[in-house]
Amino acid sequence: MPGGRFGTTDLASGPHFLIATGAPELSVAVVFTLVVVPTLRLAAAAAMALCVCLGWAPGWVRKVLTVVLPLRLWAMVDVCLLGALIALFRLDASVDVSFGPALLALAGVSLCSLALDAGADRWALWERLPVRETAFAQARAAGPGVGLIACRHCGRVSKSIQGVPCPRCERRLTSRKPHSVSHTWALLLAAAVLVLPANLLPAITVITLGRGEPVTIVGGITDLQQRGLWLAAIIVFFTSITIPILKLAALSTLLVMMRRRVEAGLRLRTNLFRFLHAIIRWSMTEIFAVMTLVALARFGWLTSVLPEPGASAFCAVVFLTMCAADSFDPRLMWDAAGKNPGRQPTGTPQREALE
Amino acid sequence: MSQGSTEASGGAAHEAPADRGDYPRARATRHWQGWIWLIPLAAFVVVGYLFYSWVTSRGPMITISFETAAGLSAAQTQVKYKSLELGTVEDVTLSDDQSQVVAKVRMAARAEPLLTDNTRFWVVRPRLSGGLSAISAGLSTLVSGAYVALDPGAPGEQPRRHFQGLEAPPSIRSGEPGSVYTLTTDELGQLDAGTPIHYRDVLVGEVLSYELASEPQEVRLRIFVRHPYDDQIVATTRFWKESGVSLQTSAEGLSLEYRSMRSLLLGGIAFEIPEAARSQEPRQAESVFRLYENRKAAEATSYTHSIPYVSYFKSSADGLMRGSEVHMFGRPLGAVTDVDLVRDPRSGHEERFAVRVAFVLQPERALPKAEWDALDHEGMRSLVENDLRVVLKTQNLLTGHKALSLEYVAKATPGALAREGEALVLPSEIQNLQAMYESLAAIGNQLRQVPVANIAKNLDRTLAAVERTVDGPELKHALASLVATMEEAHALVHEARSGMRPALARLPPIAQKLESAVDQAEAALGQNGYGAASTVQGDLERMMEQIAEAARSLRLLADYLQRHPEAVLRGRDPENP
């Protein structure tokens, strides 16, 4: 690099500088999504492959696998790459950026985990693990209340009753996600409350040449747009504004329609939910962009970026909506609409699901 | 909502109490599921806290009136006190009577006790000025844009919300010990409010403001010097403008003075105390000092003895200017203070113009204290009687700078001291190439006095007569050579008018030729034996005498020039012919 101030950023420096600039909560979120979850997922996938080869797995391993493997949407290396790209767009005017080998490696990690999701079918792997039929389950097989239940975790369909451990993954069987509606409402409410500070409070302070002013997320978008970076502006607008708001509105609508037992558009609503559930993670783009800016642009009064409470609030909104979506069970919509024989639409769908 | 599951688990527990998988289910479903509502509750708490802290950190809204909104922009300009951000300008509007701009400022809550009667606000606009801090801070104010500075002043009695902003920074910031002085100068130059003041390159203060005074026409600068450096401001302290680089051509040649980068960028003011004045009492604050253009000028005025003199020159004073040096035997003794073109005021010269050169002699520059009175008016009188004169000297051939030199001139034109106001008029002496031109002209005049034309006319007439009477080949030959020699002499005189040197070289051989021609002619005449009374003889003899005289005079001149070649330059010395 020819002269000038320069700094290098690696995966650890992002969280490090987030802590140093007074945003430990962002640091935790970033470490969780970039380091903890991807590592756990890769380790779990490897462990599972090993177990399949050995044809044996202890019970605790199975339980851990049921927790870790579904965390697919929480591994956000690919989102981070987009966020870094947006950050580079923002810095472009004043900073010369060159890419180190670790960025390629990070892209490789992202591609690998994408390939893992696409290629390795976790249901198929589960299939290959031996099933331990417990005596109780066998004994209960013909008792009252017995029906076919698909395990949420490993996908095995058992002839069993609610609450009995799955003979394969040893997690309790539930035909629907427990407490789905109340959890979803609670998380949605929390997210909706936090939307206000997320958009009203400044997300970052960019100090350029000693003069800095806090910028909200919307301010960052207009800044990008004013500099002619339309693509980046549109991406940030969609990921930071459209998707979270849409998600909140859509989930609330789905819940309300479910309560009212609306039958129309069930297929559409289900697809909409799946789509939103898949893309909500991209809202973290803004957070990763903030992290990259904080870590990259630290040249004293020349250029430096500080995270502001708005970013933390926004991160919380994204996490809460993701959790809300995770706790929402779209099958309840069909139950409520009376589309599932044997599941009478009575009271709240939740109560019925647990009967 | 947990009713159903409890029932289900109860049934299972009775049927197979030994089964391990049964109990956890029963326990798990007894968990209170309402904990999930703690999350939105926490969100509410967080948002409530954020809102609360926002409300409580908002201080009062104040308004400040300014003459101009330059540098003020809504939502950007900050109010700072000791570099601490205390508020943000939220809106800039015109006042009701349209005469001022009013900035609405949302202050921070902690600024509340600072908003009193004595609080002053002014806009600090970006400028390349370090103020009292280092250059980097100066650069940062340049790029960080304007801000509104706050000075709380003494603890006030009444809290206030409406303020009249100052147009210039207040002269003394509260809580900063030091003194304020006034400097006067002819031109502001690159000085500005905030220009640093250095004492021996140490930053000790800054320019607070400047104004144009009408009577007398000058620029007045208010400066602030921090304590304890204000102790150095005594009556004889000299201030001068400091510039980063000064390139000066003076009699010493080209001098490039390079100071610090800071003063290059910002300019500056420096001061110094004369050695003798170290023990003086510090001057009171608010005193007025003169600000000199540079260190030299400041130092020159620090000589306590300055004796004014005037000299008149009737030759070119090109290269002499204010500040040129006055020497005596190469030692600086003073400086030229003024060079004017005037009508010569001395009696007998009224119809002419002359260059009036005023200068001061400062004996402190070179003389020991005991000899100082030698240069005052009484001492000078005796020096002039001993032929001390003022001479214009070219000091630097390259730049053409001249200086005045006090010299003893041998055979000086008699001159007397005259008084002109406070100054004494010193007689001057011209010493330059002009004198050489004059002596060359004198030689030319002498040569012209040789009656060459007369001789040639006579010669022609004689020759005609000789030709008529005599036809001897020897005589003819002799006369021809005489004619040739005469022509040569003629050409010589012609040449002498245009340039002397080749003519001088040829003078002796010409004289010789003349003589030999006369000899030949005499011999020829003698051979032919003309009668002594014949007219030809008489004419010839007269001519010969004239020629001989011419030849003699030429030879004499040649001899003289050989012995005194400097005569060409100086003219003939009348006492030593």
Side-chain angles (χ1 to χ4, degrees):
Chain A
M1 202 174 275
R5 295 280 301 263
F6 70 95
T8 53
T9 299
D10 51 36
L11 205 54
S13 63
H16 169 74
F17 285 108
L18 282 177
I19 292 176
T21 50
E25 66 280 4
L26 278 185
S27 182
V28 168
V30 164
V31 168
F32 179 70
T33 52
L34 287 187
V35 182
V36 176
V37 174
T39 313
L40 280 179
R41 282 195 75 231
L42 287 177
M48 189 165 195
L50 187 70
C51 290
V52 167
C53 289
L54 292 175
W56 169 83
W60 65 271
V61 170
R62 297 179 189 223
K63 282 187 176 170
V64 168
L65 288 178
T66 59
V67 174
V68 173
L69 287 176
L71 287 176
R72 183 172 66 88
L73 295 177
W74 292 84
M76 300 192 183
V77 176
D78 43 353
V79 181
C80 176
L81 288 177
L82 180 66
L85 201 67
I86 298 292
L88 296 189
F89 267 126
R90 284 193 176 178
L91 275 180
D92 200 14
S94 54
V95 182
D96 191 20
V97 179
S98 60
F99 301 101
L103 195 77
L104 287 178
L106 213 56
V109 169
S110 168
L111 278 178
C112 282
S113 61
L114 276 179
L116 186 71
D117 293 330
D121 185 350
R122 63 179 162 127
W123 307 121
L125 282 172
W126 278 116
E127 291 276 296
R128 300 213 185 167
L129 280 181
V131 176
R132 297 197 300 188
E133 292 286 358
T134 57
F136 170 77
Q138 284 166 343
R140 294 281 304 157
V146 172
L148 287 176
I149 301 178
C151 176
R152 282 198 297 137
H153 307 286
C154 70
R156 179 183 165 84
V157 180
S158 310
K159 210 171 196 186
S160 185
I161 56 170
Q162 297 270 353
V164 173
C166 169
R168 186 161 66 193
C169 67
E170 302 191 2
R171 297 287 299 269
R172 257 184 297 283
L173 288 167
T174 49
S175 58
R176 299 289 181 265
K177 287 180 185 171
H179 318 296
S180 170
V181 174
S182 65
H183 283 197
T184 310
W185 271 123
L187 294 168
L188 273 184
L189 183 62
V193 166
L194 285 172
V195 158
L196 284 177
N199 284 294
L200 293 179
L201 290 181
I204 53 171
T205 299
V206 181
I207 298 167
T208 309
L209 295 175
R211 185 190 183 111
E213 57 207 67
V215 184
T216 60
I217 292 174
V218 179
I221 294 168
T222 50
D223 176 47
L224 281 173
Q225 173 244 314
Q226 275 166 5
R227 280 159 52 187
L229 300 166
W230 282 96
L231 183 66
I234 289 171
I235 290 175
V236 177
F237 182 76
F238 263 95
T239 56
S240 307
I241 308 285
T242 317
I243 296 179
I245 302 292
L246 194 65
K247 179 87 181 194
L248 281 176
L251 268 183
S252 313
T253 315
L254 291 184
L255 283 170
V256 170
M257 288 173 89
M258 191 162 79
R259 176 174 281 263
R260 296 201 174 168
R261 307 184 186 285
V262 178
E263 290 182 34
L266 274 173
R267 197 178 296 273
L268 178 73
R269 276 145 63 190
T270 310
N271 285 334
L272 175 68
F273 169 76
R274 287 183 180 148
F275 172 71
L276 287 174
H277 193 30
I279 62 167
I280 183 65
R281 56 203 291 274
W282 290 96
S283 296
M284 285 290 282
T285 307
E286 178 70 16
I287 300 301
F288 291 121
V290 169
M291 178 197 75
T292 313
L293 284 171
V294 168
L296 257 188
R298 38 172 218 275
F299 304 117
W301 62 272
L302 209 61
T303 299
S304 56
V305 177
L306 299 174
E308 296 284 342
S312 305
F314 181 78
C315 185
V317 169
V318 176
F319 272 40
L320 286 171
T321 45
M322 283 183 74
C323 289
D326 271 342
S327 60
F328 182 73
D329 195 335
R331 287 173 294 184
L332 292 176
M333 296 193 300
W334 299 77
D335 293 344
K339 297 290 181 183
N340 287 327
R343 292 189 167 272
Q344 294 304 316
T346 60
T348 64
Q350 182 74 24
R351 182 170 298 156
E352 181 181 294
L354 291 170
E355 262 178 16
Chain B
M1 73 174 82
S2 57
Q3 228 174 4
S5 54
T6 316
E7 284 166 13
S9 66
H14 284 294
E15 280 181 34
D19 192 289
R20 185 166 66 87
D22 214 14
Y23 293 113
R25 175 166 61 95
R27 283 199 303 274
T29 47
R30 285 188 192 281
H31 281 315
W32 176 59
Q33 287 299 315
W35 61 268
I36 194 72
W37 294 98
L38 291 177
I39 294 176
L41 189 67
F44 269 113
V45 168
V46 167
V47 171
Y49 170 74
L50 287 173
F51 183 74
Y52 171 78
S53 62
W54 177 68
V55 167
T56 51
S57 71
R58 270 160 65 102
M61 176 77 101
I62 61 167
T63 55
I64 313 171
S65 306
F66 290 108
E67 289 300 321
T68 166
L72 298 176
S73 51
Q76 281 196 349
T77 311
Q78 291 170 339
V79 178
K80 291 181 180 177
Y81 170 55
K82 291 182 186 289
S83 287
L84 183 69
E85 193 187 318
L86 282 185
T88 308
V89 173
E90 288 202 342
D91 195 15
V92 183
T93 52
L94 274 177
S95 63
D96 292 337
D97 59 356
Q98 324 279 312
S99 66
Q100 284 192 312
V101 292
V102 176
K104 286 184 181 169
V105 182
R106 172 64 69 187
M107 298 301 288
R110 62 192 166 194
E112 187 127 27
L114 298 178
L115 304 172
T116 65
D117 290 354
N118 298 330
T119 310
R120 290 169 296 180
F121 293 88
W122 67 97
V123 181
V124 180
R125 301 196 167 85
R127 63 187 186 212
L128 193 61
S129 138
L132 290 172
S133 46
I135 181 77
S136 58
L139 282 175
S140 78
T141 60
L142 176 77
V143 291
S144 65
Y147 62 89
V148 179
L150 179 157
D151 185 54
E157 298 87 46
Q158 293 290 317
R160 262 176 86 170
R161 293 294 176 264
H162 303 282
F163 297 91
Q164 176 66 46
L166 306 177
E167 292 314 304
S171 53
I172 311 169
R173 319 265 158 86
S174 52
E176 208 173 356
S179 307
V180 176
Y181 304 95
T182 302
L183 299 183
T184 61
T185 182
D186 291 334
E187 282 170 5
L188 186 63
Q190 60 174 341
L191 302 178
D192 194 1
T195 300
I197 293 166
H198 297 114
Y199 174 59
R200 306 190 166 203
D201 281 350
V202 177
L203 188 67
V204 299
E206 67 178 302
V207 174
L208 298 170
S209 63
Y210 57 86
E211 59 175 8
L212 198 63
S214 53
E215 199 55 49
Q217 280 278 342
E218 60 187 9
V219 179
R220 286 169 185 270
L221 294 156
R222 308 255 302 152
I223 62 163
F224 177 74
V225 179
R226 274 186 298 168
H227 190 75
Y229 304 102
D230 54 350
D231 288 346
Q232 307 294 327
I233 314 293
V234 300
T236 47
T237 298
R238 305 288 160 187
F239 291 86
W240 67 88
K241 293 177 187 170
E242 203 182 37
S243 63
V245 172
S246 70
L247 182 68
Q248 274 185 333
T249 62
S250 64
E252 287 123 45
L254 218 59
S255 78
L256 180 73
E257 202 179 75
Y258 175 78
R259 304 288 292 181
S260 65
M261 193 67 196
R262 191 190 311 167
S263 36
L264 174 70
L265 286 170
L266 308 175
I269 290 176
F271 65 85
E272 188 61 84
I273 318 170
E275 202 64 46
R278 290 245 173 257
S279 54
Q280 284 182 10
E281 275 296 299
R283 196 82 177 265
Q284 277 202 335
E286 304 289 337
S287 304
V288 180
F289 292 90
R290 178 83 196 156
L291 177 62
Y292 295 95
E293 281 306 307
N294 50 46
R295 187 185 192 126
K296 239 178 164 176
E299 276 174 0
T301 56
S302 70
Y303 296 117
T304 50
H305 279 56
S306 281
I307 307 148
Y309 285 100
V310 169
S311 270
Y312 290 90
F313 290 91
K314 280 188 285 183
S315 59
S316 164
D318 184 24
L320 197 69
M321 61 183 101
R322 188 192 288 197
S324 290
E325 286 181 345
V326 181
H327 292 266
M328 187 171 189
F329 300 122
R331 302 288 300 145
L333 264 189
V336 172
T337 56
D338 224 343
V339 181
D340 286 316
L341 188 63
V342 295
R343 201 172 273 281
D344 198 334
R346 294 172 296 179
S347 56
H349 298 271
E350 284 85 357
E351 73 283 7
R352 295 198 182 181
F353 275 100
V355 179
R356 176 183 185 274
V357 179
F359 59 97
V360 289
L361 292 181
Q362 288 148 335
E364 279 160 280
R365 288 183 186 236
L367 288 179
K369 195 158 185 174
E371 299 289 340
W372 282 6
D373 38 346
L375 291 185
D376 65 19
H377 291 170
E378 282 315 306
M380 189 57 74
R381 233 174 262 283
S382 71
L383 288 176
V384 169
E385 276 163 22
N386 285 308
D387 286 343
L388 188 81
R389 294 289 183 272
V390 181
V391 175
L392 251 181
K393 283 223 152 164
T394 300
Q395 213 178 15
N396 188 317
L397 281 173
L398 192 70
T399 61
H401 275 88
K402 285 196 176 123
L404 293 184
S405 178
L406 296 177
E407 290 185 0
Y408 291 102
V409 178
K411 300 188 191 65
T413 45
L417 279 172
R419 185 163 275 282
E420 189 184 295
E422 280 191 15
L424 220 51
V425 179
L426 274 185
S428 64
E429 193 76 25
I430 304 172
Q431 268 205 344
N432 54 15
L433 287 170
Q434 207 107 36
M436 191 176 92
Y437 296 137
E438 280 168 19
S439 27
L440 279 177
I443 293 174
N445 279 339
Q446 277 186 338
L447 277 177
R448 206 172 297 145
Q449 280 161 17
V450 176
V452 179
N454 219 356
I455 294 168
K457 216 190 319 174
N458 284 345
L459 209 54
D460 274 346
R461 218 170 48 213
T462 315
L463 279 181
V466 168
E467 240 175 317
R468 255 187 286 116
T469 52
V470 209
D471 211 17
E474 280 141 358
L475 186 62
K476 250 185 186 165
H477 177 72
L479 287 174
S481 95
L482 226 170
V483 167
T485 311
M486 277 296 144
E487 272 171 0
E488 230 172 310
H490 202 86
L492 172 71
V493 171
H494 185 72
E495 264 177 277
R497 271 184 210 138
S498 50
M500 280 301 290
R501 212 168 284 278
L504 285 174
R506 283 164 56 201
L507 267 176
I510 288 169
Q512 246 170 16
K513 279 185 191 168
L514 261 178
E515 268 171 351
S516 63
V518 170
D519 287 347
Q520 278 178 349
E522 267 172 345
L525 288 174
Q527 270 177 8
N528 288 328
Y530 282 104
S534 75
T535 52
V536 172
Q537 183 74 22
D539 278 350
L540 268 177
E541 264 176 9
R542 222 171 30 248
M543 184 194 73
M544 284 306 152
E545 271 169 25
Q546 277 181 340
I547 290 173
E549 201 188 321
R552 204 162 47 243
S553 119
L554 272 176
R555 176 166 292 281
L556 268 174
L557 175 64
D559 284 350
Y560 179 80
L561 285 178
Q562 242 163 12
R563 274 183 286 123
H564 304 283
E566 75 276 15
V568 175
L569 302 180
R570 289 210 202 129
R572 272 174 64 178
D573 193 341
E575 286 179 30
N576 188 17

